[in-house]
Protein backbone atom coordinates (compact mmCIF):
# COMPACT_ATOMS: atom_id res chain seq x y z
CA UNK A 1 0.00 0.00 0.00
CA UNK A 2 2.84 2.33 -0.79
CA UNK A 3 1.97 5.57 -2.58
CA UNK A 4 1.66 4.55 -6.22
CA UNK A 5 2.28 6.80 -9.21
CA UNK A 6 -0.84 8.86 -9.93
CA UNK A 7 -2.96 7.40 -12.72
CA UNK A 8 -4.74 10.25 -14.52
CA UNK A 9 -7.96 9.46 -16.33
CA UNK A 10 -10.28 11.29 -18.71
CA UNK A 11 -14.02 10.65 -18.63
CA UNK A 12 -16.26 11.78 -21.46
CA UNK A 13 -19.89 11.54 -22.50
CA UNK A 14 -20.46 8.27 -24.30
CA UNK A 15 -24.22 7.97 -24.40
CA UNK A 16 -26.66 6.17 -22.12
CA UNK A 17 -25.77 3.53 -19.55
CA UNK A 18 -27.72 0.35 -20.11
CA UNK A 19 -27.64 -3.23 -18.91
CA UNK A 20 -27.00 -4.94 -15.62
CA UNK A 21 -24.40 -4.14 -12.99
CA UNK A 22 -23.71 -6.11 -9.80
CA UNK A 23 -22.27 -4.04 -6.99
CA UNK A 24 -19.32 -5.42 -5.00
CA UNK A 25 -19.46 -6.43 -1.34
CA UNK A 26 -20.18 -3.87 1.34
CA UNK A 27 -17.00 -2.30 2.67
CA UNK A 28 -18.24 -1.77 6.23
CA UNK A 29 -19.54 -5.33 6.49
CA UNK A 30 -16.40 -6.79 4.90
CA UNK A 31 -14.14 -5.15 7.51
CA UNK A 32 -16.33 -6.41 10.32
CA UNK A 33 -16.60 -9.90 8.80
CA UNK A 34 -12.82 -10.29 8.88
CA UNK A 35 -12.39 -8.77 12.34
CA UNK A 36 -15.11 -10.81 14.03
CA UNK A 37 -14.13 -14.04 12.25
CA UNK A 38 -10.57 -13.45 13.43
CA UNK A 39 -11.88 -13.27 17.00
CA UNK A 40 -14.12 -16.34 16.82
CA UNK A 41 -12.85 -19.73 17.88
CA UNK A 42 -12.78 -21.94 14.78
CA UNK A 43 -13.28 -21.52 11.04
CA UNK A 44 -15.50 -18.87 9.47
CA UNK A 45 -16.20 -18.54 5.76
CA UNK A 46 -16.90 -15.23 4.07
CA UNK A 47 -18.50 -15.04 0.61
CA UNK A 48 -18.79 -11.82 -1.38
CA UNK A 49 -16.03 -10.04 0.56
CA UNK A 50 -15.04 -6.70 -0.97
CA UNK A 51 -11.51 -7.21 -2.25
CA UNK A 52 -10.55 -3.54 -2.18
CA UNK A 53 -7.39 -2.11 -0.65
CA UNK A 54 -9.11 -0.94 2.54
CA UNK A 55 -10.45 -4.39 3.37
CA UNK A 56 -7.15 -6.03 2.42
CA UNK A 57 -5.48 -3.72 4.97
CA UNK A 58 -7.80 -5.14 7.62
CA UNK A 59 -7.00 -8.69 6.50
CA UNK A 60 -3.26 -8.04 6.71
CA UNK A 61 -3.61 -6.53 10.19
CA UNK A 62 -5.66 -9.45 11.51
CA UNK A 63 -3.06 -11.85 10.11
CA UNK A 64 -0.32 -9.82 11.80
CA UNK A 65 -2.20 -10.32 15.08
CA UNK A 66 -2.47 -14.08 14.73
CA UNK A 67 -5.49 -14.98 12.58
CA UNK A 68 -5.14 -17.26 9.58
CA UNK A 69 -6.92 -15.75 6.59
CA UNK A 70 -6.97 -17.35 3.17
CA UNK A 71 -8.74 -16.78 -0.10
CA UNK A 72 -9.66 -19.82 -2.16
CA UNK A 73 -9.84 -19.90 -5.95
CA UNK A 74 -13.64 -19.58 -5.89
CA UNK A 75 -13.34 -16.25 -4.04
CA UNK A 76 -14.49 -17.57 -0.66
CA UNK A 77 -12.39 -16.36 2.27
CA UNK A 78 -11.62 -18.70 5.16
CA UNK A 79 -10.67 -17.32 8.55
CA UNK A 80 -9.33 -19.24 11.56
CA UNK A 81 -9.81 -17.01 14.56
CA UNK A 82 -7.72 -16.68 17.70
CA UNK A 83 -10.60 -16.12 20.12
CA UNK A 84 -11.52 -12.94 22.02
CA UNK A 85 -8.50 -12.08 24.16
CA UNK A 86 -6.17 -14.03 21.88
CA UNK A 87 -4.80 -11.32 19.60
CA UNK A 88 -1.01 -11.42 19.36
CA UNK A 89 1.46 -8.58 19.43
CA UNK A 90 2.07 -7.55 15.79
CA UNK A 91 5.76 -7.68 14.86
CA UNK A 92 5.59 -4.57 12.71
CA UNK A 93 3.54 -1.39 12.36
CA UNK A 94 0.05 -1.98 10.98
CA UNK A 95 -0.19 -0.18 7.62
CA UNK A 96 -3.78 1.01 7.36
CA UNK A 97 -3.32 2.57 3.92
CA UNK A 98 -6.27 4.90 3.25
CA UNK A 99 -8.69 3.18 5.61
CA UNK A 100 -10.20 5.07 8.52
CA UNK A 101 -12.55 2.18 9.29
CA UNK A 102 -9.67 -0.31 9.64
CA UNK A 103 -7.78 2.11 11.86
CA UNK A 104 -10.53 3.10 14.25
CA UNK A 105 -12.07 -0.35 14.64
CA UNK A 106 -8.72 -2.07 15.11
CA UNK A 107 -7.70 0.53 17.67
CA UNK A 108 -10.79 -0.62 19.57
CA UNK A 109 -9.76 -4.25 19.36
CA UNK A 110 -6.18 -3.63 20.43
CA UNK A 111 -7.33 -1.39 23.33
CA UNK A 112 -8.52 -4.33 25.43
CA UNK A 113 -5.77 -6.81 24.54
CA UNK A 114 -2.39 -6.95 26.34
CA UNK A 115 -0.53 -5.88 23.20
CA UNK A 116 0.93 -2.74 21.65
CA UNK A 117 0.37 -1.76 18.03
CA UNK A 118 1.61 1.10 15.87
CA UNK A 119 -0.79 2.37 13.22
CA UNK A 120 0.43 4.09 10.07
CA UNK A 121 -1.38 5.27 6.96
CA UNK A 122 -1.18 7.23 3.73
CA UNK A 123 -1.15 11.03 3.53
CA UNK A 124 -4.95 11.23 3.59
CA UNK A 125 -5.39 8.94 6.60
CA UNK A 126 -2.53 10.65 8.43
CA UNK A 127 -4.53 13.90 8.41
CA UNK A 128 -7.73 12.41 9.83
CA UNK A 129 -8.80 12.91 13.45
CA UNK A 130 -8.22 9.97 15.77
CA UNK A 131 -8.92 11.85 19.03
CA UNK A 132 -12.55 10.75 18.72
CA UNK A 133 -11.48 7.15 19.39
CA UNK A 134 -8.43 7.89 21.53
CA UNK A 135 -10.66 9.62 24.07
CA UNK A 136 -13.07 6.75 24.89
CA UNK A 137 -10.40 4.06 24.49
CA UNK A 138 -8.16 5.92 26.96
CA UNK A 139 -11.02 5.88 29.43
CA UNK A 140 -11.07 2.12 29.01
CA UNK A 141 -7.38 2.01 29.91
CA UNK A 142 -5.56 2.17 26.59
CA UNK A 143 -2.40 4.23 26.47
CA UNK A 144 -2.04 6.13 23.20
CA UNK A 145 0.84 8.18 21.87
CA UNK A 146 -0.34 9.98 18.75
CA UNK A 147 1.21 12.45 16.33
CA UNK A 148 0.40 16.14 16.87
CA UNK A 149 -3.31 16.85 16.49
CA UNK A 150 -4.26 13.31 17.48
CA UNK A 151 -3.31 11.80 14.13
CA UNK A 152 -1.38 8.86 12.70
CA UNK A 153 1.23 7.51 13.08
CA UNK A 154 0.20 6.51 16.58
CA UNK A 155 1.08 3.81 19.06
CA UNK A 156 -1.61 2.20 21.19
CA UNK A 157 -0.89 0.03 24.21
CA UNK A 158 -3.91 -2.02 25.23
CA UNK A 159 -4.95 -2.86 28.78
CA UNK A 160 -6.18 -6.27 29.85
CA UNK A 161 -8.47 -6.39 31.70
CA UNK A 162 -9.82 -3.12 30.26
CA UNK A 163 -12.37 -0.95 32.02
CA UNK A 164 -15.94 -1.20 30.65
CA UNK A 165 -17.45 2.27 30.17
CA UNK A 166 -20.71 3.98 29.36
CA UNK A 167 -20.08 6.32 26.46
CA UNK A 168 -22.35 9.00 24.97
CA UNK A 169 -21.21 9.50 21.38
CA UNK A 170 -20.36 13.19 20.93
CA UNK A 171 -20.30 12.77 17.14
CA UNK A 172 -22.58 10.65 14.92
CA UNK A 173 -19.97 8.05 14.01
CA UNK A 174 -20.38 4.32 13.47
CA UNK A 175 -16.62 3.98 13.65
CA UNK A 176 -16.40 5.47 17.12
CA UNK A 177 -19.40 3.42 18.27
CA UNK A 178 -17.82 0.27 16.85
CA UNK A 179 -14.39 0.97 18.34
CA UNK A 180 -15.90 1.16 21.83
CA UNK A 181 -18.07 -1.93 21.33
CA UNK A 182 -15.13 -3.93 19.98
CA UNK A 183 -12.99 -2.87 22.94
CA UNK A 184 -15.88 -3.91 25.17
CA UNK A 185 -15.80 -7.41 23.69
CA UNK A 186 -12.79 -8.21 25.83
CA UNK A 187 -13.54 -6.02 28.86
CA UNK A 188 -15.09 -7.64 31.95
CA UNK A 189 -18.67 -6.45 32.49
CA UNK A 190 -21.00 -4.34 30.37
CA UNK A 191 -19.78 -1.68 27.95
CA UNK A 192 -22.48 0.74 26.83
CA UNK A 193 -22.63 3.20 23.95
CA UNK A 194 -25.42 5.74 23.67
CA UNK A 195 -25.93 7.24 20.23
CA UNK A 196 -28.30 10.21 20.00
CA UNK A 197 -28.59 9.81 16.21
CA UNK A 198 -28.66 6.32 14.66
CA UNK A 199 -25.63 5.46 12.52
CA UNK A 200 -24.98 2.30 10.50
CA UNK A 201 -25.67 -0.69 12.72
CA UNK A 202 -23.61 -3.44 11.06
CA UNK A 203 -21.45 -3.93 14.15
CA UNK A 204 -24.48 -4.52 16.33
CA UNK A 205 -26.08 -6.95 13.88
CA UNK A 206 -22.88 -8.88 13.30
CA UNK A 207 -21.72 -9.02 16.93
CA UNK A 208 -25.11 -10.50 17.84
CA UNK A 209 -24.84 -12.89 14.88
CA UNK A 210 -21.46 -14.12 16.17
CA UNK A 211 -23.04 -14.84 19.55
CA UNK A 212 -22.03 -11.82 21.65
CA UNK A 213 -24.55 -10.81 24.32
CA UNK A 214 -25.60 -7.47 22.86
CA UNK A 215 -28.82 -5.55 23.40
CA UNK A 216 -30.19 -2.40 21.79
CA UNK A 217 -32.73 -0.22 23.53
CA UNK A 218 -34.46 2.86 22.12
CA UNK A 219 -34.66 5.55 24.82
CA UNK A 220 -35.43 9.29 24.88
CA UNK A 221 -31.62 9.85 24.96
CA UNK A 222 -31.12 7.75 21.86
CA UNK A 223 -30.12 4.17 21.13
CA UNK A 224 -28.44 2.44 24.04
CA UNK A 225 -26.22 -0.43 22.90
CA UNK A 226 -24.90 -2.73 25.61
CA UNK A 227 -22.37 -5.50 25.13
CA UNK A 228 -21.25 -8.08 27.69
CA UNK A 229 -17.49 -8.51 27.61
CA UNK A 230 -15.22 -11.53 27.65
CA UNK A 231 -17.51 -12.96 25.03
CA UNK A 232 -16.96 -16.17 23.16
CA UNK A 233 -17.66 -15.66 19.46
CA UNK A 234 -18.88 -18.59 17.37
CA UNK A 235 -17.54 -18.91 13.82
CA UNK A 236 -20.00 -18.04 11.06
CA UNK A 237 -20.66 -18.45 7.36
CA UNK A 238 -21.15 -14.90 6.16
CA UNK A 239 -22.51 -13.68 2.85
CA UNK A 240 -21.61 -10.01 2.37
CA UNK A 241 -24.39 -8.02 0.65
CA UNK A 242 -23.61 -5.42 -2.01
CA UNK A 243 -22.44 -1.97 -0.98
CA UNK A 244 -25.09 0.76 -1.33
CA UNK A 245 -22.28 3.32 -1.32
CA UNK A 246 -20.88 1.74 -4.50
CA UNK A 247 -24.38 1.37 -5.96
CA UNK A 248 -24.85 5.11 -5.43
CA UNK A 249 -22.60 5.97 -8.38
CA UNK A 250 -24.73 3.91 -10.75
CA UNK A 251 -27.97 5.32 -9.32
CA UNK A 252 -26.75 8.84 -10.00
CA UNK A 253 -25.20 7.97 -13.38
CA UNK A 254 -28.39 6.35 -14.69
CA UNK A 255 -30.48 9.24 -13.36
CA UNK A 256 -28.46 12.00 -15.08
CA UNK A 257 -27.50 10.49 -18.45
CA UNK A 258 -30.43 10.69 -20.89
CA UNK A 259 -31.63 7.35 -22.19
CA UNK A 260 -30.10 5.32 -19.37
CA UNK A 261 -31.82 2.24 -17.99
CA UNK A 262 -29.82 0.17 -15.50
CA UNK A 263 -30.54 -2.83 -13.35
CA UNK A 264 -28.27 -2.52 -10.31
CA UNK A 265 -28.11 -5.88 -8.60
CA UNK A 266 -27.33 -6.73 -4.99
CA UNK A 267 -27.80 -3.32 -3.34
CA UNK A 268 -27.79 -3.43 0.46
CA UNK A 269 -30.79 -1.54 1.81
CA UNK A 270 -30.10 -1.43 5.52
CA UNK A 271 -32.20 1.58 6.63
CA UNK A 272 -29.10 3.17 8.20
CA UNK A 273 -27.57 3.36 4.69
CA UNK A 274 -30.38 4.39 2.34
CA UNK A 275 -30.31 8.19 2.63
CA UNK A 276 -29.03 8.69 -0.93
CA UNK A 277 -31.95 6.73 -2.37
CA UNK A 278 -34.37 8.78 -0.28
CA UNK A 279 -32.77 12.07 -1.38
CA UNK A 280 -32.71 11.02 -5.05
CA UNK A 281 -36.38 10.11 -4.87
CA UNK A 282 -37.14 13.54 -3.39
CA UNK A 283 -35.39 14.99 -6.46
CA UNK A 284 -37.61 12.93 -8.75
CA UNK A 285 -35.34 9.97 -9.55
CA UNK A 286 -36.97 6.86 -11.01
CA UNK A 287 -35.76 4.05 -8.73
CA UNK A 288 -37.75 0.81 -8.51
CA UNK A 289 -36.86 -1.94 -6.03
CA UNK A 290 -37.12 -5.49 -7.32
CA UNK A 291 -36.67 -8.92 -5.73
CA UNK A 292 -36.37 -7.66 -2.14
CA UNK A 293 -34.59 -10.32 -0.06
CA UNK A 294 -32.34 -10.81 2.96
CA UNK A 295 -28.62 -11.50 2.47
CA UNK A 296 -26.32 -12.03 5.44
CA UNK A 297 -29.00 -10.68 7.79
CA UNK A 298 -29.30 -7.44 5.78
CA UNK A 299 -32.14 -6.29 3.48
CA UNK A 300 -31.05 -6.32 -0.17
CA UNK A 301 -32.80 -5.64 -3.51
CA UNK A 302 -32.06 -5.04 -7.16
CA UNK A 303 -32.73 -1.49 -8.28
CA UNK A 304 -33.98 -0.51 -11.72
CA UNK A 305 -32.98 3.08 -12.33
CA UNK A 306 -34.00 5.03 -15.42
CA UNK A 307 -33.04 8.50 -16.47
CA UNK A 308 -35.41 11.11 -15.03
CA UNK A 309 -35.55 14.88 -14.82
CA UNK A 310 -34.28 15.92 -11.37
CA UNK A 311 -35.40 18.91 -9.31
CA UNK A 312 -33.35 20.71 -6.70
CA UNK A 313 -34.12 20.02 -3.04
CA UNK A 314 -33.07 21.13 0.38
CA UNK A 315 -31.41 17.93 1.50
CA UNK A 316 -32.98 16.98 4.83
CA UNK A 317 -30.12 17.17 7.37
CA UNK A 318 -31.57 14.23 9.27
CA UNK A 319 -30.60 12.04 6.29
CA UNK A 320 -26.90 12.86 6.87
CA UNK A 321 -25.89 9.78 8.90
CA UNK A 322 -27.58 7.41 6.43
CA UNK A 323 -25.89 8.98 3.39
CA UNK A 324 -22.68 10.34 4.84
CA UNK A 325 -20.52 8.65 2.19
CA UNK A 326 -22.91 9.51 -0.64
CA UNK A 327 -22.83 13.33 -0.55
CA UNK A 328 -20.23 13.61 -3.34
CA UNK A 329 -22.48 11.52 -5.61
CA UNK A 330 -25.53 13.53 -4.54
CA UNK A 331 -23.71 16.79 -5.33
CA UNK A 332 -23.17 15.46 -8.85
CA UNK A 333 -26.88 14.63 -9.20
CA UNK A 334 -27.65 18.16 -7.98
CA UNK A 335 -25.42 19.61 -10.74
CA UNK A 336 -27.95 18.25 -13.28
CA UNK A 337 -31.15 19.17 -11.42
CA UNK A 338 -33.30 22.18 -12.17
CA UNK A 339 -32.70 24.79 -9.48
CA UNK A 340 -30.34 25.16 -6.55
CA UNK A 341 -29.85 22.20 -4.20
CA UNK A 342 -28.77 23.05 -0.69
CA UNK A 343 -27.19 20.48 1.65
CA UNK A 344 -26.42 21.58 5.22
CA UNK A 345 -25.76 19.75 8.48
CA UNK A 346 -23.01 17.61 6.98
CA UNK A 347 -19.95 18.98 8.76
CA UNK A 348 -18.47 15.48 9.05
CA UNK A 349 -17.72 15.64 5.31
CA UNK A 350 -14.76 17.84 6.19
CA UNK A 351 -12.94 14.94 7.89
CA UNK A 352 -13.43 12.09 5.44
CA UNK A 353 -10.73 10.75 3.09
CA UNK A 354 -10.57 14.38 1.95
CA UNK A 355 -12.44 17.52 2.92
CA UNK A 356 -15.32 16.51 0.67
CA UNK A 357 -17.06 19.88 0.79
CA UNK A 358 -13.96 21.71 -0.44
CA UNK A 359 -12.98 18.91 -2.84
CA UNK A 360 -16.39 18.78 -4.54
CA UNK A 361 -16.75 22.58 -4.65
CA UNK A 362 -13.38 22.76 -6.43
CA UNK A 363 -14.06 19.80 -8.73
CA UNK A 364 -17.52 20.95 -9.80
CA UNK A 365 -16.37 24.56 -10.07
CA UNK A 366 -13.48 23.57 -12.37
CA UNK A 367 -16.04 21.90 -14.62
CA UNK A 368 -18.35 24.88 -14.88
CA UNK A 369 -20.83 24.16 -12.08
CA UNK A 370 -21.61 27.01 -9.74
CA UNK A 371 -21.44 26.11 -6.04
CA UNK A 372 -21.50 27.90 -2.72
CA UNK A 373 -19.54 26.43 0.14
CA UNK A 374 -20.78 26.45 3.74
CA UNK A 375 -18.91 25.24 6.78
CA UNK A 376 -21.37 22.33 6.99
CA UNK A 377 -22.38 21.76 3.39
CA UNK A 378 -22.71 22.93 -0.18
CA UNK A 379 -25.22 24.60 -2.49
CA UNK A 380 -25.13 23.54 -6.13
CA UNK A 381 -26.76 25.30 -9.07
CA UNK A 382 -28.05 22.67 -11.46
CA UNK A 383 -28.20 22.76 -15.26
CA UNK A 384 -31.79 21.54 -15.49
CA UNK A 385 -30.64 18.35 -17.21
CA UNK A 386 -28.24 19.92 -19.74
CA UNK A 387 -24.66 18.63 -19.81
CA UNK A 388 -22.19 20.45 -17.61
CA UNK A 389 -19.38 22.34 -19.44
CA UNK A 390 -16.60 19.95 -18.31
CA UNK A 391 -12.92 20.26 -19.38
CA UNK A 392 -11.83 20.91 -15.80
CA UNK A 393 -9.06 19.19 -13.86
CA UNK A 394 -10.24 17.33 -10.76
CA UNK A 395 -7.90 16.90 -7.81
CA UNK A 396 -9.11 13.57 -6.38
CA UNK A 397 -7.08 14.12 -3.17
CA UNK A 398 -6.54 10.40 -2.39
CA UNK A 399 -10.33 10.11 -2.12
CA UNK A 400 -12.04 7.27 -3.99
CA UNK A 401 -15.47 8.84 -3.75
CA UNK A 402 -14.33 12.14 -5.27
CA UNK A 403 -12.79 10.21 -8.18
CA UNK A 404 -15.91 8.10 -8.86
CA UNK A 405 -18.37 10.97 -8.36
CA UNK A 406 -16.55 13.20 -10.84
CA UNK A 407 -16.19 10.30 -13.27
CA UNK A 408 -20.00 10.10 -13.18
CA UNK A 409 -20.23 13.87 -13.78
CA UNK A 410 -18.07 13.40 -16.88
CA UNK A 411 -20.68 11.07 -18.39
CA UNK A 412 -22.90 14.06 -19.18
CA UNK A 413 -20.46 16.87 -19.94
CA UNK A 414 -19.81 18.90 -23.10
CA UNK A 415 -16.08 18.33 -22.83
CA UNK A 416 -14.20 15.59 -20.94
CA UNK A 417 -13.62 15.73 -17.18
CA UNK A 418 -10.00 15.11 -16.23
CA UNK A 419 -9.15 13.20 -13.04
CA UNK A 420 -5.61 13.80 -11.81
CA UNK A 421 -5.53 10.34 -10.19
CA UNK A 422 -8.09 7.56 -10.55
CA UNK A 423 -5.95 5.19 -8.43
CA UNK A 424 -7.91 5.77 -5.19
CA UNK A 425 -10.96 3.91 -6.56
CA UNK A 426 -9.06 0.71 -5.72
CA UNK A 427 -9.73 1.30 -2.03
CA UNK A 428 -13.45 0.50 -2.36
CA UNK A 429 -14.31 -0.39 -5.96
CA UNK A 430 -11.39 -1.79 -7.99
CA UNK A 431 -13.72 -2.82 -10.85
CA UNK A 432 -15.39 0.60 -11.18
CA UNK A 433 -13.86 1.73 -14.50
CA UNK A 434 -14.02 -1.65 -16.29
CA UNK A 435 -17.65 -1.91 -15.15
CA UNK A 436 -18.36 1.59 -16.46
CA UNK A 437 -16.82 0.69 -19.82
CA UNK A 438 -19.06 -2.37 -19.96
CA UNK A 439 -22.21 -0.36 -19.30
CA UNK A 440 -21.25 2.03 -22.08
CA UNK A 441 -20.84 -0.88 -24.44
CA UNK A 442 -17.07 -0.55 -24.82
CA UNK A 443 -14.24 -2.86 -24.00
CA UNK A 444 -12.18 -1.96 -20.89
CA UNK A 445 -9.21 0.29 -21.71
C1 LIG B 1 -18.04 3.57 8.48
C2 LIG B 1 -18.57 4.65 9.11
C3 LIG B 1 -18.60 6.01 8.54
C4 LIG B 1 -18.35 5.99 7.03
C5 LIG B 1 -17.21 5.10 6.68
C6 LIG B 1 -17.48 3.67 7.11
C7 LIG B 1 -18.05 2.26 9.14
O1 LIG B 1 -17.59 6.78 9.14
O2 LIG B 1 -18.10 7.30 6.57
O3 LIG B 1 -17.01 5.10 5.27
O4 LIG B 1 -17.79 1.23 8.47
O5 LIG B 1 -18.32 2.23 10.35
P1 LIG B 1 -17.85 7.62 10.50
O6 LIG B 1 -18.00 6.68 11.61
O7 LIG B 1 -16.61 8.48 10.63
O8 LIG B 1 -19.08 8.43 10.21
Amino acid sequence: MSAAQPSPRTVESRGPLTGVVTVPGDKSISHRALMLSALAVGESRVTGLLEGEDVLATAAAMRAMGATIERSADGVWTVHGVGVGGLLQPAQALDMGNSGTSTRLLMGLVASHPITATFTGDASLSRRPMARVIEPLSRMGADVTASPGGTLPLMLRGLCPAVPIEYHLPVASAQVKSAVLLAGLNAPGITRVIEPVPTRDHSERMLAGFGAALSVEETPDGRVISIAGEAELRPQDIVVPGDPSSGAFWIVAASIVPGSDLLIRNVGLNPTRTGLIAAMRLMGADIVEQDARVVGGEPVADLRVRHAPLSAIEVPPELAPSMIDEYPALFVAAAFASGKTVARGAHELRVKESDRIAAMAAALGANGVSTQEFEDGLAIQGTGGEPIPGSGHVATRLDHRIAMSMAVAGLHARRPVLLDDAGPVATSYPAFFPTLDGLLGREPQ
Side-chain angles (χ1 to χ4, degrees), residues 26-29 31-32 100-101 104-105 128 132 171-178 199-200 202-203 245 273 321 324-325 348 351-353 356 400-401:
D26 189 279
K27 184 152 75 70
S28 292
I29 295 174
H31 284 298
R32 289 158 172 82
T101 310
R104 296 192 177 116
L105 271 55
R128 298 182 66 186
R132 54 181 61 196
V171 51
S173 165
Q175 292 178 357
V176 178
K177 167 176 69 176
S178 302
T199 63
R200 67 190 67 193
H202 307 301
S203 295
S245 302
R273 300 285 299 280
I324 196 66
D325 292 335
E348 274 292 297
V351 291
K352 294 296 179 187
E353 286 82 330
R356 288 182 173 161
H400 51 139
R401 300 203 196 280

Side-chain angles (χ1 to χ4, degrees), residues 350-415:
R350 298 245 178 231
V351 291
K352 294 296 179 187
E353 286 82 330
S354 68
D355 174 342
R356 288 182 173 161
I357 297 173
M360 286 304 294
L364 289 170
N367 285 282
V369 179
S370 162
T371 65
Q372 185 189 351
E373 200 176 325
F374 310 110
E375 187 47 32
D376 65 343
L378 198 65
I380 303 109
Q381 185 63 49
T383 60
E386 293 300 311
I388 59 169
S391 87
H393 284 260
V394 172
T396 58
R397 307 186 188 202
L398 291 176
D399 189 333
H400 51 139
R401 300 203 196 280
I402 303 300
M404 289 186 275
S405 298
M406 289 309 297
V408 168
L411 298 176
H412 194 38
R414 293 195 197 285
R415 288 178 298 276

Side-chain angles (χ1 to χ4, degrees), residues 15 225 278 283 407 435 444:
I225 306 137
M283 296 174 86
T435 303

Side-chain angles (χ1 to χ4, degrees), residues 18-316:
T18 54
V20 181
V21 55
T22 302
V23 298
D26 189 279
K27 184 152 75 70
S28 292
I29 295 174
S30 295
H31 284 298
R32 289 158 172 82
L34 290 176
M35 290 179 196
L36 295 182
S37 298
L39 286 173
V41 179
E43 179 182 301
S44 294
R45 287 159 53 84
V46 188
T47 307
L49 188 86
L50 171 66
E51 296 178 353
E53 287 173 357
D54 279 12
V55 175
L56 298 181
T58 289
M62 296 318 295
R63 282 192 191 107
M65 292 190 283
T68 305
I69 304 179
E70 279 156 3
R71 181 192 192 277
S72 56
D74 58 1
V76 176
W77 288 68
T78 308
V79 182
H80 289 266
V82 294
V84 171
L87 291 179
L88 303 178
Q89 168 84 40
Q92 278 156 1
L94 303 175
D95 180 0
M96 303 281 89
N98 189 252
S99 180
T101 310
S102 310
T103 309
R104 296 192 177 116
L105 271 55
L106 290 176
M107 285 172 67
L109 282 184
V110 172
S112 57
H113 279 74
I115 59 175
T116 299
T118 298
F119 294 84
T120 62
D122 71 5
S124 152
L125 184 58
S126 301
R127 281 191 288 269
R128 298 182 66 186
M130 296 298 151
R132 54 181 61 196
V133 277
I134 294 172
E135 201 261 321
L137 297 178
S138 301
R139 285 202 219 172
M140 297 181 81
D143 183 17
V144 184
T145 309
S147 297
T151 56
L152 263 48
L154 65 75
M155 193 174 77
L156 189 153
R157 176 150 33 98
L159 179 70
C160 187
V163 182
I165 59 169
E166 180 168 304
Y167 191 65
H168 290 255
L169 283 182
V171 51
S173 165
Q175 292 178 357
V176 178
K177 167 176 69 176
S178 302
V180 175
L181 293 174
L182 290 176
L185 254 188
N186 197 38
I190 306 289
T191 295
R192 227 171 241 125
V193 180
I194 297 115
E195 59 172 3
V197 186
T199 63
R200 67 190 67 193
D201 62 357
H202 307 301
S203 295
E204 295 92 303
R205 289 176 187 239
M206 294 179 75
L207 280 162
F210 271 85
L214 178 137
S215 66
V216 180
E217 203 190 335
E218 304 290 343
T219 74
D221 285 347
R223 294 174 72 234
V224 180
I225 306 137
S226 308
I227 186 164
E230 299 179 314
E232 177 149 334
L233 300 187
R234 292 187 296 269
Q236 301 294 309
D237 275 356
I238 300 168
V239 181
V240 180
D243 197 325
S245 302
S246 296
F249 302 112
W250 307 126
I251 294 173
V252 172
S255 298
I256 64 169
V257 181
S260 296
D261 184 350
L262 277 187
L263 184 64
I264 310 168
R265 284 202 203 278
N266 190 33
V267 184
L269 293 180
N270 179 311
T272 61
R273 300 285 299 280
T274 50
L276 184 272
I277 295 173
M280 289 295 292
R281 282 184 169 142
L282 289 175
M283 296 174 86
D286 179 359
I287 305 171
V288 178
E289 288 170 33
Q290 300 179 351
D291 192 16
R293 54 202 185 269
V294 173
V295 174
E298 298 269 354
V300 166
D302 302 332
L303 303 180
R304 182 165 181 198
V305 184
R306 279 172 280 197
H307 169 256
L310 302 178
S311 307
I313 56 168
E314 283 199 18
V315 184

